[in-house]
Amino acid sequence: DGGITQSPKYLFRKEGQNVTLSCEQNLNHDAMYWYRQDPGQGLRLIYYSQIVNDFQKGDIAEGYSVSREKKESFPLTVTSAQKNPTAFYLCASSIDLRTYGYTFGSGTRLTVV
Amino acid sequence: EDKVVQSPLSLVVHEGDTVTLNCSYEVTNFRSLLWYKQEKKAPTFLFMLTSSGIEKKSGRLSSILDKKELFSILNITATQTGDSAIYLCAVGDRGGADGLTFGKGTHLIIQP
């Protein structure tokens, strides 16, 4: 079945550490996105990518980095520069940037300990 | 700055009731408004609305867009406990170059 796989489901990070969240899709979608969700907040866009080797900052990119070396993969690194990284992270994909019927992954819950 | 506002933020009703969820928006160049249902983790797509006044229906759920007044409603009739979820409204503009802008969501709880 086609879909988006995020791993791990739960992740604990010590302060000062970088961690990488995985996002893989087999839908042959060109566009991929990373959102952050905090309690009582909507989803906020971190980064998005339209094609391989190209990505753009969203509204809250500071302290995060991404790469898009393969069409299927869009990993997100939460760096030590992100001061409040505890949140639920959702990856999504769509056919292209103009198609809004996103498919979401099941998310990764990151907790700083 | 683009803004999407949902109301109410939380709602508790009894099974069988009808609920109406609201979403108002201010975006630079409106393209589409979408509704998602988020039960535990991954939001699932419900509706995409692009034209004013055309109701979209799926079973007990329906939604309509008013582009003049800049809002949309999501109706759920004969609610069931399985309808309990966070309902997210999102708006896209400028051809999606910046991704979707989401509201904070309405947390709906259906009591038996």
Side-chain angles (χ1 to χ4, degrees):
Chain A
D1 284 339
I4 295 185
T5 301
Q6 288 187 244
S7 62
K9 292 190 185 327
Y10 301 93
L11 186 58
F12 296 90
R13 188 196 97 170
K14 292 183 180 178
E15 286 196 29
Q17 279 184 337
N18 293 355
V19 290
T20 297
L21 283 58
S22 170
C23 178
E24 303 275 336
Q25 55 101 356
N26 60 4
L27 299 164
N28 201 33
H29 285 172
D30 284 323
M32 297 187 74
Y33 313 82
W34 274 104
Y35 285 90
R36 170 179 171 144
Q37 188 175 31
D38 295 280
Q41 299 288 327
L43 276 65
R44 291 182 290 168
L45 183 64
I46 305 172
Y47 269 97
Y48 62 98
S49 168
Q50 185 174 4
I51 56 172
V52 173
N53 292 323
D54 182 66
F55 46 83
Q56 304 295 327
K57 292 182 180 180
D59 300 320
I60 55 165
E62 186 174 350
Y64 300 98
S65 66
V66 294
S67 63
R68 188 88 186 272
E69 296 176 2
K70 299 187 299 181
K71 186 175 184 177
E72 302 79 16
S73 179
F74 192 41
L76 173 74
T77 296
V78 184
T79 75
S80 56
Q82 170 48 238
K83 297 307 177 189
N84 186 21
T86 295
F88 187 55
Y89 291 87
L90 282 163
C91 179
S93 72
S94 62
I95 294 172
D96 55 44
L97 282 185
R98 292 171 295 176
T99 304
Y100 292 123
Y102 290 5
T103 299
F104 282 90
S106 294
T108 293
R109 188 166 299 280
L110 173 63
T111 303
V112 173
V113 296
Chain B
E1 186 177 316
D2 294 346
K3 195 163 60 172
V4 178
V5 179
Q6 291 187 245
S7 65
L9 292 181
S10 64
L11 182 60
V12 181
V13 300
H14 288 102
E15 224 173 359
D17 288 350
T18 293
V19 297
T20 298
L21 311 183
N22 304 294
C23 177
S24 64
Y25 62 90
E26 295 177 30
V27 296
T28 308
N29 294 297
F30 176 86
R31 184 179 174 89
S32 300
L33 184 144
L34 293 89
W35 285 97
Y36 287 86
K37 177 182 181 182
Q38 185 178 25
E39 291 182 78
K40 289 195 175 172
K41 293 183 177 177
T44 54
F45 173 78
L46 294 175
F47 299 110
M48 182 168 70
L49 305 157
T50 56
S51 301
S52 239
I54 298 174
E55 185 183 49
K56 294 221 172 174
K57 284 184 70 91
S58 176
R60 296 176 293 103
L61 277 66
S62 64
S63 184
I64 196 162
L65 174 69
D66 185 328
K67 289 168 75 173
K68 182 179 176 185
E69 300 298 329
L70 308 183
F71 79 89
S72 172
I73 60 171
L74 175 68
N75 277 324
I76 309 175
T77 59
T79 52
Q80 302 171 358
T81 54
D83 295 325
S84 296
I86 297 174
Y87 289 85
L88 298 167
C89 173
V91 173
D93 70 341
R94 292 182 291 185
D98 295 324
L100 291 171
T101 300
F102 282 82
K104 293 184 178 182
T106 293
H107 190 186
L108 177 64
I109 298 173
I110 311 297
Q111 292 183 335

